[in-house]
Amino acid sequence: MSSTSVTIEAQPQVQAASRKIGPIFRLLPFLTPYASRWLLTFIALTVAAVATLTLPVAFRYLIDAGFSSEQAGHIDRYFVALFGLSVVLAVATALRFYYVSWLGERVTADLRSAVYAHVVKMSPQFFELTKTGEVLSRLTTDTTLIQAVVGTSLSMGLRNSFLLLGGLVMLFVTSAKLAAYILLTLVLVILPIFLFGRKVRKLSRDSQDRIADASAVAGEVLNAIPTVQSYRQEQRETARFTGSVETAFSTALSRIRARSMLTLVAIVLVFGAISFVLWLGAQAVLANEMTGGELSQFILYAVLTAGAIGAIAEVWGDLQRAAGAAERLMQLLDVQSPVVERADPLPLLLPEHNLAGTGIEFNKVNFSYPSRPDTLALKDFSLQIKPGEHIALVGPSGAGKTTLFQLLLRFYDPQSGQVKFNGTDLKDVRLTDARQPFGIVLQDTVIFAGSVLDNIRYARPDASEQEVQDAAKMAAAHAFIQALPQGYHTYLGERGVRLSGGQRQRISIARAILSNPSVLLLDEATSALDAESERQVQQALDNAAQNRTTLVIAHRLATVLAADRIVVLEAGRIVAQGTHAELLQSSELYARLAALQFSH
């Protein structure tokens, strides 16, 4: 299979505005399941807009008729009608807010779940070429932008579009002459505000970027506190963080100054325009060309129209930023894992009772990692492993030992050749079936931020507590677990920081044992331990390997002397295999490695 690039383009400005909003429409599959909610939102939005457009008319009649001596007896009725209209507006606005907020949260949650579910199924090849921080940024920052648009901006845009169209119509109905004047003044007022507003938005993005820079500095240092303190760099790191904070402060001040100036300009221009139109209207009232109520109605529509234009301009900016976020998220969803299942996968046959009754075969395998396509990690590699056999893989770094495990677990597929399990090519079975027979213990143990019970049970979530304890006993972990403050229910902290290296390894071994694997894969599981911890972990590994096919990667040859067969690798090829005694005589590479370790 040819190497497939799955790099997603780095976009340093997550919130940078795009000039196109086309990617927004790719969110439709996440919006359509809630069509009934959207209908209710649209109804509430329409009622609120109509009520808002009716208010100026109500004020007109209140002024023209309510205060005249002939209509004095009806003034109470006018005020009741005005209050009733405000209640309709309030209820419709509240319903609109509730529905759009619900939709924003719901669609964002669905989008996050869909992206996460897609990403966790990706082959490690994807993460070899993509930064995890980039994925997390898209899951958090980008989805938050979309939430703001779906939950607020979209409905605000529709509402203000209704108000703009309705306001313009009512302006001309009220006074065509003044409407022409107001349109001219609106253009003169809104244009500079819009242009200046773009500068403010850019400064806002710069300010957020500087805050993100400061957070990045803090996160890096807090994750490396022991190193910082051991090299006595607390003062330097504090100064570095303070510098980032001051830079963020300076950028924020620029944003605040620009926002203040925008406010000043907006208020002066808007009230200048309103004063000018009021003066024209006052002249018309004095000339008996319109009533005071009509003038009030016209001014209210003018204010509604101007506000709608400003809001639409802001919503357009939100839509542009959200379009960029949607494009980045869809980019993630579009990426396909290079490791795929065939359309009609075969069942993987496993023996029910004899765990060791499964053989493994590498047949003329050629493989290179996608980040190094020109370098073969395995070259025409062939190896047969008998059921129940204990195989040790040794060789210098980069020889291809860990790559064999990666192919067995189908994290990658070879460019050519076959990897077979129990006679079946792993490419022909489901991914979950292909990985089910294997239990793996890594050098860099993974401990989740949960209890001991949660961590061991991760291999089999339905396992009983007694089964967990039995696995822990086989892993030589039961004694130290019982000594913990809450025993198996003790919270271990992020990455298991409350445990020693040997304790973390034994919990990892217990996890592998609990999964009851047919094949045990051990990747340098004791190389980073002290002598006492290594002895305990090695005993646990010996227990776990009973009646199982076992593959062990080890740099410490003393841990694999009892292997049925030692396979020596170099530059992706098998250069020798046999027992320890045989290899000392037949393999110059193995003899050299042994001499370095056993020279004393």
Side-chain angles (χ1 to χ4, degrees), residues 8 11-12 48 57 64 99-100 104 117 141 162 176 228 300 357 383 391 397-398 422 469 491 514 517 551 563 591 597:
I8 53 178
Q11 296 187 22
V57 178
D64 284 345
Y99 285 130
V100 297
T141 310
F162 287 174
V228 172
L300 286 174
L383 176 66
I391 299 294
S397 296
N422 207 25
Q469 292 186 15
Y491 178 75
L514 185 64
L551 277 72
Q597 296 191 29

Side-chain angles (χ1 to χ4, degrees), residues 38 41-42 44-46 48-49 93 95-101 103 147-163 311-312 315 319:
W38 284 109
T41 302
F42 185 78
L45 185 152
T46 304
T93 302
L95 288 174
R96 177 188 62 82
F97 173 78
Y98 172 78
Y99 285 130
V100 297
S101 298
L103 285 165
Q147 177 183 351
V149 168
V150 176
T152 304
S153 299
L154 203 56
S155 72
M156 289 297 293
L158 289 172
R159 175 179 179 272
N160 283 285
S161 296
F162 287 174
L163 292 180
I312 290 171
V315 167
L319 284 174

Side-chain angles (χ1 to χ4, degrees), residues 440-448 455 495-496 499-509 511 523-526 529 537:
I440 187 165
V441 181
L442 301 171
Q443 176 184 359
D444 298 324
T445 306
V446 175
I447 298 294
F448 298 97
N455 270 277
R495 300 187 304 276
L499 300 177
S500 69
Q503 290 172 334
R504 288 197 294 270
Q505 279 289 22
R506 279 177 276 168
I507 285 181
S508 179
I509 295 167
R511 181 191 298 157
D523 189 353
E524 302 186 42
T526 64
L529 304 179
V537 170

Side-chain angles (χ1 to χ4, degrees), residues 3 32 79 90 102 108 117 139 161 190 236 238 251 273 294 304 345 389 473 557:
S3 177
T32 49
F79 274 104
W102 186 94
T108 304
L139 276 172
S161 296
I190 295 300
R236 176 191 172 194
T238 300
T251 308
E294 288 174 330
L304 282 176
E389 195 172 13
K473 289 174 183 176
L557 300 184

Side-chain angles (χ1 to χ4, degrees), residues 276-289:
F276 174 68
V277 175
L278 274 174
W279 178 79
L280 291 176
Q283 299 300 315
V285 172
L286 291 174
N288 290 322
E289 295 176 1

Side-chain angles (χ1 to χ4, degrees), residues 344-363:
D344 53 341
L346 302 175
L348 185 64
L349 301 178
L350 295 175
E352 295 183 5
H353 303 294
N354 182 11
L355 292 176
T358 49
I360 297 171
E361 180 183 357
F362 293 88
N363 183 25

Side-chain angles (χ1 to χ4, degrees), residues 432-487:
T432 53
D433 290 346
R435 293 164 183 166
Q436 189 271 334
F438 299 99
I440 187 165
V441 181
L442 301 171
Q443 176 184 359
D444 298 324
T445 306
V446 175
I447 298 294
F448 298 97
S451 67
V452 176
L453 192 66
D454 294 334
N455 270 277
I456 297 177
R457 197 182 264 163
Y458 192 80
R460 224 176 80 216
D462 60 342
S464 67
E465 190 164 346
Q466 184 59 51
E467 289 175 312
V468 171
Q469 292 186 15
D470 292 341
K473 289 174 183 176
M474 286 191 67
H478 183 68
F480 86 78
I481 292 173
Q482 283 191 315
L484 294 174
Q486 284 84 41

Side-chain angles (χ1 to χ4, degrees), residues 281-399:
Q283 299 300 315
V285 172
L286 291 174
N288 290 322
E289 295 176 1
M290 65 188 308
T291 66
E294 288 174 330
L295 176 60
S296 300
Q297 174 180 316
F298 185 88
I299 293 299
L300 286 174
Y301 279 126
V303 171
L304 282 176
T305 304
I309 292 174
I312 290 171
E314 188 66 31
V315 167
W316 183 255
D318 291 342
L319 284 174
Q320 289 177 320
R321 290 193 295 275
E327 187 174 16
R328 286 156 54 86
L329 286 166
M330 294 305 130
Q331 210 172 34
L332 269 182
L333 287 174
D334 288 341
V335 174
Q336 297 299 317
S337 176
V339 177
V340 296
E341 295 179 351
R342 55 181 281 182
D344 53 341
L346 302 175
L348 185 64
L349 301 178
L350 295 175
E352 295 183 5
H353 303 294
N354 182 11
L355 292 176
T358 49
I360 297 171
E361 180 183 357
F362 293 88
N363 183 25
K364 296 182 179 180
V365 170
N366 286 288
F367 173 75
S368 60
Y369 286 98
S371 58
R372 304 185 299 276
D374 298 329
T375 303
L376 284 174
L378 293 176
K379 303 174 185 177
D380 199 27
F381 184 91
S382 294
L383 176 66
Q384 287 191 342
I385 300 168
K386 298 176 183 178
E389 195 172 13
H390 188 146
I391 299 294
L393 303 171
V394 301
S397 296

